[in-house]
Amino acid sequence: MTGHVRRLKLGIRHLVLFVLCLMYFLAYVDRVNISVAGPMMRREFGLTPIELGFIFSSFAYPYAAMQIVGGWAADRFGPRLVLAALSLLWATATLLTGVSWSVGSLVAFRLLVGIGEGGAFPAATRAFTWWLPVRERGFAQGVTHSFAPRWSSCAATCPGDRGTIRLA
């Protein structure tokens, strides 16, 4: 040992990784929080199981389609712009879900959450190619993909009258 203390050098790539981990966590909570609120929503809105299922599934179709569109948009316009726009869209739609007044508004807002979240993940992958060296990209993907479910499962157990809804 040379006696020198090696200092931890944090760069922009670490900030990018941290922000994307936070994004994955919030997206995962946003994605699953409606299932926690489902029983309360059924009572409050008088929903049938079919209506509730339609509301739940309205997220999935745009989410799947936006995987392709989000990747294309990140390649074309850059991940920073695409992630900012999609994150703003899904955050706004998540907030609006909380003030929904009908089945139609719930479906519309969940469609928007699916659009925002679906495109964000391929854009995040593109961000890794811009801001992380090749040797760190696999690790970064692993960290972000394990971050979301692990920490949001902890959030689901937080005390509160509405569980994860309170966090989203």
Side-chain angles (χ1 to χ4, degrees):
M1 195 144 146
T2 63
H4 296 307
V5 176
R6 186 174 176 202
R7 293 181 54 174
L8 180 63
K9 184 178 178 184
L10 296 177
I12 189 67
R13 68 184 193 274
H14 298 105
L15 178 62
V16 168
L17 180 58
F18 174 75
V19 169
L20 291 177
C21 282
L22 187 59
M23 182 200 78
Y24 273 63
F25 166 74
L26 292 173
Y28 196 83
V29 171
D30 281 350
R31 186 178 318 147
V32 300
N33 65 2
I34 199 161
S35 64
V36 174
M40 291 176 277
M41 289 170 44
R42 276 194 68 198
R43 285 190 300 274
E44 186 174 331
F45 288 106
L47 301 173
T48 67
I50 292 172
E51 289 171 322
L52 190 60
F54 185 63
I55 292 164
F56 286 174
S57 67
S58 63
F59 166 86
Y61 296 111
Y63 181 90
M66 284 301 293
Q67 295 285 309
I68 297 165
V69 176
W72 171 83
D75 287 343
R76 176 81 168 92
F77 303 108
R80 183 180 304 178
L81 176 65
V82 173
L83 281 170
L86 292 174
S87 296
L88 182 63
L89 173 66
W90 111 56
T92 303
T94 299
L95 290 172
L96 291 171
T97 301
V99 296
S100 296
W101 56 90
S102 67
V103 172
S105 66
L106 282 165
V107 168
F109 298 144
R110 290 303 290 175
L111 283 167
L112 292 174
V113 172
I115 290 169
E117 284 190 19
F121 293 103
T125 300
R126 183 66 169 140
F128 288 144
T129 67
W130 279 26
W131 292 310
L132 282 108
V134 172
R135 70 182 186 283
E136 295 179 9
R137 292 178 192 164
F139 174 75
Q141 285 287 330
V143 168
T144 54
H145 288 208
S146 68
F147 194 85
R150 178 165 294 118
W151 292 107
S152 24
S153 65
C154 295
T157 61
C158 286
D161 59 339
R162 295 194 180 215
T164 58
I165 296 298
R166 186 175 181 176
L167 297 173

